[in-house]
Amino acid sequence: RAIELSREAVALQPVRIEYRKELAVELLCRNAAGDAGDARAQIDALKAIPAITPLDHVDQRHATALLAAPAAKVCGYSRDWFQESMT
């Protein structure tokens, strides 16, 4: 259900970096067939959006690092606790 709601959020506000990052995290965590490609597409899209707020910049850095992170780290992702060393 989380992925469905995140897809709706992205469809309604496609320029929200945070929404695309959260969808990518959910897809990477679920890791079903096609999810990795869909997550990469969301990350590529969010990196193309100009960052406006400081949190936008953080989310862009984290999104890139999440692609290379182990699944356990992705599934437990929290912006506040994500290690900057992963970026």
Side-chain angles (χ1 to χ4, degrees):
R1 180 95 172 117
I3 291 173
E4 179 183 328
L5 292 174
S6 289
R7 287 189 192 280
E8 288 177 25
V10 167
L12 290 171
Q13 295 189 29
V15 296
R16 292 286 300 268
I17 291 170
E18 179 180 11
Y19 292 173
R20 288 185 179 274
K21 182 204 63 188
E22 290 300 325
L23 176 55
V25 166
E26 293 158 4
L27 290 166
L28 289 169
C29 184
R30 182 175 72 175
N31 199 28
D35 282 353
D38 289 348
R40 175 165 292 285
Q42 291 301 321
I43 290 171
D44 289 344
L46 74 81
K47 287 173 24 180
I49 300 169
I52 296 171
T53 70
L55 288 178
D56 287 345
H57 290 284
V58 169
D59 286 341
Q60 286 176 328
R61 285 195 319 274
H62 286 188
T64 301
L66 285 164
L67 284 175
K73 185 131 186 116
V74 173
C75 292
Y77 173 79
S78 164
R79 183 191 294 140
D80 294 336
W81 295 103
F82 193 72
Q83 294 179 4
E84 288 295 328
S85 63
M86 291 293 298
T87 61

